Amino acid sequence: MQQNNINHLRELESEAVYIMREVASQFENMALLFSGGKDSIVMVHLAEKAFYPVKIPFTLVHIDTGHNFDETIVFRDNLVERLGAELVVGSVQKSIDEGKVSEETGYYASRNIAQTTTLLSALEDNRFDVALGGGRRDEEKARAKERFFSHRDEFGQWDPKNQRPELWNIYNGKKNSGEHFRVFPLSNWTEMDVWQYIFMENIEIPSLYYTHEREVFLRDGIYIAVAPFMKLKPTETVERLKVRCRTIGDITNTGLTLSTANNLEDIIKEIAATRVTERGDRADDKRSESAMEDRKKEGYF
């Protein structure tokens, strides 16, 4: 890796560490939203650096849709054990059972929207006053509007037109009772930055990110993993192909990429050559032009 790339990554690392320490200085009950994806894994790695040699001061919060990849859950549990960290799991299935949200039906059924209710319940039940997320501005146009410190009202909602200025790296975490903040230390990172940082720091990631064989089917130009809860159309057929995940989420929404990338160097080359955006194969973002922004206003990550 060239020295100018290393210097760039160290600057991003320094910025993220500074923001995490600012969070620790301004808030009391802190959560780190952990999906098991590469961005949240990098967040945990940065938190370890920020507060070494003591244990990270953040409780890991995972919103379990019940439709996760098995590899994600195994990786999550192994990481929590290694860190000795506290883990809070919000269950979408529990939200459905309690009648807080409804289970979607049909070919395009997903639990993605239901995550918002489960997340807000987890934050309220545990009285977290701040939640750190791995969102980046390059991912999607709604996330490009997000500040580092993102204020949420007492209903967990976000107003993109009413955000606080962040001048000279001064972050305002003042809030009223019942309100909380979402904080995004990776805001200025790109997908390529994340992968190069993972390579530079030799960070362990789930096997899903590397090429593997999996049963898939093609829907609307996107390969989706076969799972017991997935309902196939009569015209859809199952194939066994070599694929990998570029971004990890609920199985119903996670598009798989045809790939031969078996190591980090190959992944970086693949990302450099692709013309498809990182979330270009995320089915949940294709529901409407404003799908992500609508969910964020309601309290989504």
Side-chain angles (χ1 to χ4, degrees):
M1 187 179 295
Q2 295 182 351
Q3 188 60 45
N4 59 339
N5 283 349
I6 294 174
N7 292 341
H8 170 67
L9 294 174
R10 290 303 181 203
E11 288 177 3
L12 290 174
E13 176 189 68
S14 178
E15 178 182 64
V17 164
Y18 172 75
I19 291 167
M20 287 185 172
R21 289 172 177 166
E22 276 291 298
V23 169
S25 71
Q26 295 192 44
F27 299 94
E28 296 181 2
N29 195 11
M30 301 167 288
L32 192 157
L33 304 178
F34 186 81
S35 67
K38 65 184 185 306
D39 300 307
S40 59
I41 292 168
V42 166
M43 288 275 289
V44 170
H45 181 81
L46 290 165
E48 289 186 272
K49 282 199 163 191
F51 301 100
Y52 180 84
V54 301
K55 188 169 69 173
I56 65 172
F58 310 126
T59 298
L60 300 189
V61 176
H62 179 225
I63 304 305
D64 184 358
T65 66
H67 292 169
N68 299 290
F69 289 96
D70 292 338
E71 295 92 332
T72 303
I73 302 302
V74 171
F75 187 92
R76 178 200 71 187
D77 292 343
N78 289 340
L79 180 63
V80 168
E81 183 178 2
R82 179 181 69 79
L83 292 173
E86 183 179 351
L87 172 67
V88 169
V89 178
S91 170
V92 172
Q93 183 62 57
K94 182 180 178 182
S95 297
I96 293 170
D97 294 341
E98 293 176 347
K100 294 180 179 178
V101 294
S102 299
E103 180 86 84
E104 291 185 358
T105 59
Y107 294 119
Y108 292 90
S110 169
R111 292 183 170 182
N112 194 64
I113 294 177
Q115 289 185 86
T116 299
T117 298
T118 306
L119 171 62
L120 293 176
S121 294
L123 296 178
E124 183 177 359
D125 293 346
N126 292 277
R127 298 185 178 181
F128 292 119
D129 53 1
V130 65
L132 290 87
R136 308 187 322 268
R137 292 182 180 131
D138 77 317
E139 287 183 273
E140 202 273 343
K141 58 187 179 182
R143 286 185 168 165
K145 300 178 182 180
E146 199 88 67
R147 299 285 173 84
F148 282 110
F149 274 44
S150 179
H151 175 264
R152 303 298 171 107
D153 65 20
E154 63 270 29
F155 302 106
Q157 297 177 331
W158 171 64
D159 182 0
K161 296 181 180 179
N162 185 26
Q163 297 192 76
R164 298 174 180 179
E166 295 179 341
L167 305 175
W168 305 292
N169 295 330
I170 297 175
Y171 304 108
N172 182 359
K174 293 183 179 180
K175 62 179 183 57
N176 296 317
S177 177
E179 299 174 345
H180 74 275
F181 273 80
R182 307 284 173 87
V183 176
F184 301 96
L186 304 185
S187 289
N188 286 336
W189 296 50
T190 66
E191 181 188 12
M192 182 61 80
D193 292 331
V194 171
W195 281 116
Q196 290 184 333
Y197 187 75
I198 289 171
F199 175 73
M200 183 177 71
E201 295 286 292
N202 193 28
I203 301 172
E204 183 181 0
I205 55 175
S207 59
L208 290 165
Y209 281 115
Y210 300 110
T211 296
H212 58 284
E213 284 195 0
R214 184 179 292 273
E215 288 190 337
V216 301
F217 62 95
L218 189 64
R219 174 174 292 172
D220 299 334
I222 300 172
Y223 284 105
I224 305 291
V226 173
F229 44 80
M230 295 295 291
K231 184 178 180 181
L232 273 66
K233 300 176 183 179
T235 56
E236 294 171 338
T237 57
V238 175
E239 305 175 76
R240 190 167 184 85
L241 299 174
K242 289 186 176 181
V243 296
R244 74 175 190 87
C245 291
R246 191 170 165 191
T247 176
I248 296 176
D250 187 300
I251 290 177
T252 62
N253 296 318
T254 301
L256 301 171
T257 301
L258 297 176
S259 175
T260 58
N262 293 310
N263 53 59
L264 290 172
E265 293 97 324
D266 288 344
I267 290 175
I268 289 171
K269 291 177 182 177
E270 192 174 272
I271 297 302
T274 188
R275 291 175 175 268
V276 179
T277 62
E278 180 180 6
R279 295 185 69 93
D281 288 337
R282 284 293 293 263
D284 48 331
D285 288 350
K286 297 180 181 294
R287 292 197 169 197
S288 75
E289 285 294 320
S290 60
M292 172 64 79
E293 182 158 340
D294 292 341
R295 295 201 305 277
K296 286 180 70 65
K297 288 178 180 178
E298 293 170 0
Y300 186 69
F301 292 41

